[in-house]
Amino acid sequence: MEVPAVRAARLGQSMWYDNISRDLLDGGELARLVAEQGVRGVTSNPTIFQKAMTTSNAYAAEFAKLAAAGRGAAEIYETMAVSDIRRGADALRGVYDASNGTDGFISLEVSPALAHDTAGTLAEATRLAAAVDRPNLMIKIPATAEGIPAVRAAIAAGISVNITLIFAVSAHAKVIDAFMSGLEDRVLRGEPIDRIASVASFFVSRVDGSVDKSLDERAKAGAANAAALRGKAAIANAKLAYELFEREFASPRFEKLRTKGAQVQRPLWASTSTKNPAYKDTIYVDTLIGPHTVNTLPPATLAAFNDHGTVAVTIRDGLDEAKRQLAGIEALGISMDRVCADLLADGVASFAKSFTDLLAAVEARRHEIAAAPRTA
């Protein structure tokens, strides 16, 4: 019997695995997830690599070799990360080929330290894309004010891009414009655009985490309708993002690009694990299924969805209600613009900390190896 993730793919939603590690690759687990569990892509981020490289023994041999060769912490990390991403891309190549280059991607993030550096982001995106050298690689660039121009330039350079840390619908609009502008730049130069893919990673559960706290405060202060709006903001926000996606990619502007072979930039629902135990463990999956979408799931959420998820096109359901819910939240003095701006800043800071912690752990391990007595 087919698992829900396979059935969801028929409705236009690809399930990507939000996890990468050498153990996953060495044991053939990623290949099994693709073959049996409906996984059609993989995402990574500094937090995922931090966990993998500091808890798994699978990196020990390569780590020791690189450290003995005098490589620094950053170079050790990047060498091992690029190796993992290449192998992950190869495991997904069948999906990529079968989908004619529209699916089967794996993502690698530019350094979070470059989140506010347009030129630096573009340079690193270009360098990492060349280092991995796989057609089904996406470079992850954050949707900061400085990151969005880098997205346009990367797309124009022929790099497939996963734009991450999108919280606000207004930011999503800028990301869509950057994607189309990059494609238009290529068309003007007479360059092909049919094999350039992009996803707009719109974060979900973190929105509820922030808004629910404010709603609880309003409820304690006596706001009668505050409690009823708990757990509504994130899904409503995502539904408005999808409405924007459908409108923009049905526009005359994109139709011109479509005639040149352009792919749509799919919305990707990120941060879809349920943080609040009071909510269903698949709430941010069941409610956001629709054509031309991706949902990136951590291991526990993928297992839950394939066990008891609901498979139906739901992304367009209740759009008017979603708008009323967001209006009700705003009426309580909770600014969604402020919430989204704060979440973006927090997300950048969180990934930057994970990256700093990762490099610190790699450096500490490097010193241990350097200090160990050498055997003849």
Side-chain angles (χ1 to χ4, degrees):
M1 184 176 179
E2 290 180 332
V3 296
V6 172
R7 302 203 305 273
R10 290 205 192 91
L11 302 180
Q13 180 162 97
S14 296
M15 299 300 179
W16 289 6
Y17 200 53
D18 193 26
N19 189 36
I20 186 71
S21 72
R22 196 151 292 184
D23 294 317
L24 194 69
L25 298 163
D26 288 346
E29 177 65 8
L30 179 56
R32 186 191 72 80
L33 289 168
V34 171
E36 301 175 10
Q37 298 299 307
V39 167
R40 297 181 60 79
V42 170
T43 51
S44 70
N45 61 46
T47 303
I48 288 172
F49 272 123
Q50 178 195 13
K51 180 179 179 182
M53 291 184 183
T54 58
T55 62
S56 171
N57 290 325
Y59 296 90
E62 186 177 12
F63 199 123
K65 181 180 178 181
L66 292 168
R71 305 289 181 86
E75 192 174 1
I76 291 172
Y77 153 72
E78 187 172 305
T79 300
M80 295 194 299
V82 165
S83 176
D84 284 359
I85 294 295
R86 282 177 178 163
R87 293 177 62 194
D90 292 343
L92 292 162
R93 185 59 185 266
V95 177
Y96 177 81
D97 290 340
S99 67
N100 196 29
T102 62
D103 214 347
F105 288 91
I106 188 166
S107 298
L108 177 62
E109 191 149 358
V110 297
S111 168
L114 299 170
H116 302 295
D117 179 349
T118 301
T121 292
L122 179 61
E124 179 145 320
T126 303
R127 184 176 61 77
L128 290 174
V132 174
D133 192 25
R134 295 294 188 274
N136 53 332
L137 169 72
M138 282 188 175
I139 296 296
K140 291 179 81 172
I141 296 174
T144 57
E146 299 82 5
I148 290 174
V151 169
R152 175 177 178 168
I155 294 291
I159 299 170
S160 293
V161 181
N162 175 343
I163 302 90
T164 188
L165 292 175
I166 305 172
F167 294 93
V169 175
S170 58
H172 189 198
K174 294 175 183 177
V175 165
I176 291 171
D177 177 70
F179 172 66
M180 291 191 192
S181 295
L183 294 180
E184 289 163 349
D185 292 341
R186 289 183 65 81
V187 170
L188 286 173
R189 297 196 300 261
E191 296 171 339
I193 61 174
D194 58 306
R195 283 283 170 160
I196 301 173
S198 182
V199 292
S201 291
F202 201 88
F203 280 52
V204 186
S205 68
R206 296 188 194 185
V207 174
D208 274 343
S210 176
V211 172
D212 282 359
K213 290 179 182 178
S214 296
L215 289 171
D216 288 344
E217 293 171 359
R218 303 304 193 276
K220 289 178 182 177
N225 59 333
L229 290 168
R230 294 184 83 259
K232 307 298 185 186
I235 293 168
N237 200 41
K239 287 181 182 290
L240 266 63
Y242 188 78
E243 180 190 38
L244 172 70
F245 157 76
E246 290 205 300
R247 182 172 65 248
E248 292 300 314
F249 285 93
S251 68
R253 179 186 183 188
F254 185 72
E255 190 55 37
K256 292 178 183 177
L257 294 167
R258 193 191 299 275
T259 63
K260 302 288 186 180
Q263 303 178 26
V264 300
Q265 181 189 59
R266 292 180 293 173
L268 179 152
W269 313 125
S271 181
T272 54
S273 61
T274 304
K275 310 298 191 294
N276 188 332
Y279 302 154
K280 185 182 177 184
D281 56 0
T282 59
I283 187 173
Y284 301 116
V285 189
D286 298 344
T287 55
L288 300 175
I289 296 174
H292 304 295
T293 59
V294 178
N295 199 313
T296 179
L297 310 177
T301 306
L302 176 66
F305 181 70
N306 275 341
D307 180 68
H308 53 263
T310 300
V311 181
V313 174
T314 51
I315 187 62
R316 301 186 186 100
D317 294 348
L319 182 59
D320 289 340
E321 177 63 16
K323 292 176 181 178
R324 286 193 292 270
Q325 289 165 345
L326 292 175
I329 289 167
E330 294 276 355
L332 289 170
I334 302 169
S335 167
M336 288 299 296
D337 286 344
R338 172 47 53 194
V339 166
C340 292
D342 289 345
L343 286 171
L344 172 59
D346 291 347
V348 170
S350 176
F351 282 164
K353 183 180 185 304
S354 291
F355 194 67
T356 299
D357 291 348
L358 168 61
L359 293 183
V362 170
E363 181 66 11
R365 179 64 179 143
R366 189 180 71 82
H367 276 296
E368 288 176 10
I369 293 172
R374 297 185 181 183
T375 58

